[in-house]
Structures are given as structure tokens and as C-alpha cells.
Amino acid sequence: MCGRFVQKSPANQMQSFFDIKGPVPNFGPRYNVAPTQDAAVVVAETDGRRIELKKWGLIPAWSKEGKAEFATFNARAESVREKPTYREAFRKRRCIVPADGFYEWTGPKGCKVPHLFERRDGALLALAGLHESWRAKDGSETVNSFTIIVTAANAWMQSFHDRMPVILEEADVDAWLSGTPDTAAQLLKSAAPDALQERIVSKLVNSVKNEGPELVA
């Protein structure tokens, strides 16, 4: 799974990495992004790619009350094309969640040790995601949301967790954002065993109330 991540790179670095020409929303560095919070995601529109802020935890457009019936911050790669919550978004509204790293925990309950996973080459992580817009029937509210797709962990990651986010290579970004559903489905696989590196970080990460660079120092 992927239940917390880092998004500290400045907007201009994201613009360059994902070839975004237009303006970007105002957001600062985040070191402990958690479900229900807003984060920057990359979407593809007819006039090009954009960075938008969306709420983490996908709410399907057909939801009656503007909330999911179960946790939707992660979607399983094995069923994302069939599940009603994600099916339409997979067909038409795929996105990328830029991340500098993501967290997983090891150890017994009450004494969890946080690990930060980053790309070994130092580049941004391009996490495969889906996005959706929910609108109240009376037009009083709109919620723009996203989910991160997870798959089976590769052999290296299995030492820490049995799941991991789908990590796209830079060459696959266009196929994920704008390709056919069949093409996109071929990208739902584990990263190469040597793609990531890991380090233990501060237990301050364990609380979503904590934020700041000291979490990853």
C-alpha cells in the first residue's frame, strides 16, 4: 500500500520534469502527505498537461453523498479496471502523483519504524493514479480527488511490505496519461528491484499532525 508520501520538490521542477507549460497552483513542500489531504497531481487535458491540487481519496462521480463507502486512497492494480469505483476513471481520467518518496513501516504495533523510499537515481517518482470530480446535485459543492494505484511488491520491496505503488518510468508518462486503457494497463507492474533505495527516518512521521523537513533528516 501507499498511505503517506513526500512531495517537497518545487513547482518549477515538476513543470520541467513533466513538461508542463501553463501556470501551476500555489503549494509548498510537504513531508507527510496523508489521505484526505490535498496534494499536487499531473493531469492531461486537450490543451496539454496541468498540475492541479486534489484531495487524496477518490470519490466516484456517482456517489450520492460525496464520500466513498470504503478507503480509496489506494486502488489495486489487479482490479482497477473492473471495480465500479475506479472503472470509469481508469478509462478516461488517469493522472500522475509526483512524489519525492513514500513511507512504509516495519515492526510491532506501538513501535513502528518508518522507512522512506526514494528513487535510487534521485529523480522524482511518478506514481500512477486516477482522478475524479464529484459534484453535489444542487451544485453547492465540488470535490476533486485522486487515488494512487498499488501492485504486488517486487522482490526487494517484499522485505518491507507486500504491496508498493505503481511507479512509472519517464518514458511511460505519455502512455499512462493519454494512451488507450489497454496500453495503460500494461504499465501496471512493479518497479525494477534496483529502482529504489530505503532509509529509516524520524518516528515523527508516524503522526499525520507532524510536518517539516526534520521528518526526513
Side-chain angles (χ1 to χ4, degrees):
M1 62 183 292
C2 178
R4 217 82 65 76
F5 66 92
V6 179
Q7 196 174 73
K8 64 182 178 67
S9 290
N12 61 354
Q13 185 176 337
M14 293 186 191
Q15 281 182 297
S16 176
F17 188 85
F18 292 105
D19 192 26
I20 294 167
K21 308 298 184 186
V24 298
N26 184 27
F27 59 90
R30 303 283 304 285
Y31 294 86
N32 202 10
V33 184
T36 75
Q37 297 177 356
D38 287 351
V41 302
V42 178
V43 301
E45 303 291 352
T46 54
D47 57 349
R49 297 175 187 168
R50 294 207 304 261
I51 294 178
E52 298 180 350
L53 294 178
K54 297 181 183 291
K55 180 180 179 180
W56 189 11
L58 189 140
I59 301 172
W62 43 260
S63 171
K64 293 181 179 179
E65 299 181 2
K67 60 182 180 181
E69 297 179 356
F70 53 90
T72 58
F73 59 91
N74 287 162
R76 294 178 66 90
E78 296 87 345
S79 58
V80 69
R81 297 188 73 179
E82 290 79 35
K83 278 201 169 184
T85 299
Y86 308 117
R87 185 170 53 209
E88 194 66 10
F90 185 86
R91 288 183 59 239
K92 299 179 179 180
R93 288 177 290 278
R94 297 184 295 274
C95 68
I96 290 173
V97 183
D100 295 273
F102 64 92
Y103 300 107
E104 287 296 351
W105 283 259
T106 59
K109 187 176 181 180
C111 194
K112 292 288 187 180
V113 176
H115 302 255
L116 175 63
F117 297 86
E118 304 164 297
R119 280 195 67 108
R120 194 176 295 273
D121 60 12
L124 273 169
L125 291 164
L127 307 183
L130 308 174
H131 69 104
E132 189 65 272
S133 290
W134 174 86
R135 295 176 179 84
K137 288 185 177 180
D138 62 4
S140 61
E141 183 183 10
T142 299
V143 179
N144 297 311
S145 60
F146 73 95
T147 187
I148 293 173
I149 301 176
V150 295
T151 189
N154 60 33
W156 177 80
M157 186 71 190
Q158 285 174 8
S159 300
F160 308 95
H161 202 280
D162 61 356
R163 308 290 290 177
M164 68 186 301
V166 172
I167 300 169
L168 302 167
E169 293 300 320
E170 191 172 357
D172 295 326
V173 165
D174 192 58
W176 176 255
L177 290 175
S178 304
T180 66
D182 286 343
T183 298
Q186 295 176 19
L187 304 175
L188 296 177
K189 56 188 178 183
S190 304
D194 61 351
L196 301 176
Q197 61 186 9
E198 166 272 339
R199 59 190 174 96
I200 294 174
V201 293
S202 171
K203 289 186 178 181
L204 290 171
V205 172
N206 294 3
S207 172
V208 297
K209 297 179 180 179
N210 296 326
E211 178 60 78
E214 65 274 14
L215 273 62
V216 298

